[in-house]
Amino acid sequence: MLLFYSPFFHTFSLPLPFCWTETVMDTRTATAELGWISFPANGWEEVSGYDENLNTIRTYQVCNVFEPSQNNWLLTTYIDRRAAQRIYVEIRFTVRDCASIPSVLGSCKETFNLYYLETERTVSESIKGVEYWANAPFLKVDTIAADESFSQVDFGGRLMKVNTEVRSFGPLSKGRGFHLAFQDLGACMSLLAVRVFYKKCPSVVQNFAFFPETLTGAESTSLVIARGSCIPNAEEVDVPIKLYCNGDGEWMVPIGSCSCKAGYEPDNGNVCREQSVPFLAVLAE
């Protein structure tokens, strides 16, 4: 059973779902160059462009489809994970249809690879040599394919077939943050936007108990226990008082409860107010 948000006193009621996400990087908000590390020099290139709504964005593109044996790497700046154990990456990108490129090599791709590297500190920009890129301890997240690719006809008509894919990885525990890495093996593509975020269950008042904001666990199936405490003017009835935060950032399975103390009554669901004196009782005095 899940919870939903009510704007009064940040209280929650059953049974609808509610989830919060916290963004730790979003290239769409960039006002200057992203400054990511690319290797080799003739691989990924940062350019200014426009999204489908004609908003100015910073993008990275690569299109060396007429040259064999491509292995182009792109490393983001350092991303602080803020104690999150599982990270989500939303990628918006376009890919050229290999079949629409005249005389293209058979090595032309319509996919790219996503990796990550946990670390305590940023990878130095001076690390650009072949030896580093060949031996860096990147962990692969996935090979990402385009659901839609564009042709020369689409490009000429300024028709953007934008793909949006979301991937997650974890558990993260070896450092305070990480770098993302994108590997191109011979595609003609553009990274339009990269958003990195994690999920959390927001602070909640349920059954007259307060539960703090809680980050989701290391796995998408994890359940994280949050211990509750009675709100002002309430006392424990059933213990232990706890909720579970699931991998989607939704509260579920409330256990235990509090109730208003003697002399107080519920008001607006999860607030204990001092009981009002009945009007007839006042007159009797």
Side-chain angles (χ1 to χ4, degrees):
M1 189 171 288
L2 307 180
L3 309 170
F4 74 93
Y5 175 74
S6 170
F8 191 83
F9 288 109
H10 298 285
T11 64
F12 286 71
S13 304
L14 299 171
L16 298 178
F18 184 78
C19 165
W20 277 5
T21 63
E22 189 77 27
T23 299
V24 294
M25 186 190 78
D26 191 342
T27 61
R28 292 171 298 184
T29 63
T31 58
E33 291 186 358
L34 297 175
W36 295 356
I37 301 174
S38 62
F39 181 85
N42 64 342
W44 293 92
E45 178 185 10
E46 182 175 1
V47 297
S48 291
Y50 298 93
D51 63 14
E52 62 271 34
N53 298 317
L54 299 181
N55 298 312
T56 303
I57 54 176
R58 300 296 299 178
T59 71
Y60 274 93
Q61 64 184 25
V62 63
C63 192
N64 295 338
V65 294
F66 295 106
E67 302 175 24
S69 303
Q70 292 297 299
N71 187 19
N72 303 304
W73 288 86
L74 180 64
L75 190 73
T76 68
T77 50
Y78 185 71
I79 303 170
D80 190 334
R81 64 183 177 90
R82 303 180 191 174
Q85 297 181 67
R86 188 161 198 87
I87 290 292
Y88 294 78
V89 184
E90 180 187 79
I91 307 169
R92 291 169 53 79
F93 62 99
T94 59
V95 176
R96 177 74 181 269
D97 181 0
C98 288
S100 73
I101 305 175
S103 304
V104 73
L105 297 177
S107 58
C108 179
K109 305 289 185 184
E110 295 180 12
T111 63
F112 64 96
N113 296 322
L114 174 66
Y115 294 81
Y116 71 97
L117 175 65
E118 283 191 84
T119 178
E120 280 288 345
R121 55 187 177 82
T122 183
V123 172
S124 172
E125 289 191 17
S126 64
I127 303 177
K128 298 182 181 180
V130 175
E131 184 177 352
Y132 171 78
W133 293 101
N135 299 289
F138 296 115
L139 296 177
K140 186 174 182 178
V141 178
D142 200 5
T143 295
I144 300 176
D147 291 328
E148 291 189 289
S149 57
F150 70 90
S151 65
Q152 184 63 38
V153 174
D154 299 321
F155 185 75
R158 296 189 178 277
L159 177 62
M160 294 184 69
K161 293 184 176 179
V162 178
N163 299 272
T164 301
E165 296 287 340
V166 177
R167 298 293 187 271
S168 67
F169 56 89
L172 299 179
S173 60
K174 297 179 181 178
R176 293 176 298 173
F178 58 93
H179 293 269
L180 293 179
F182 301 88
Q183 182 191 31
D184 162 60
L185 295 174
C188 187
M189 63 170 294
S190 293
L191 288 176
L192 301 179
V194 179
R195 175 179 170 246
V196 182
F197 62 97
Y198 60 88
K199 296 181 179 181
K200 62 183 181 180
C201 292
S203 58
V204 52
V205 174
Q206 177 63 37
N207 294 336
F208 302 101
F210 171 79
F211 298 88
E213 177 181 287
T214 303
L215 301 186
T216 58
E219 304 295 338
S220 58
T221 56
S222 297
L223 292 178
V224 179
I225 297 176
R227 301 291 180 179
S229 57
C230 294
I231 64 172
N233 305 315
E235 59 188 0
E236 295 179 350
V237 176
D238 298 315
V239 293
I241 304 170
K242 60 184 178 181
L243 276 178
Y244 289 89
C245 178
N246 72 13
D248 290 324
E250 298 167 343
W251 289 113
M252 58 188 302
V253 196
I255 297 176
S257 64
C258 302
S259 66
C260 295
K261 296 178 179 178
Y264 294 85
E265 59 186 1
D267 182 28
N268 196 56
N270 276 303
V271 178
C272 292
R273 302 288 190 192
E274 188 174 3
Q275 288 180 341
S276 56
V277 180
F279 179 69
L280 294 178
V282 174
L283 290 179
E285 293 179 0

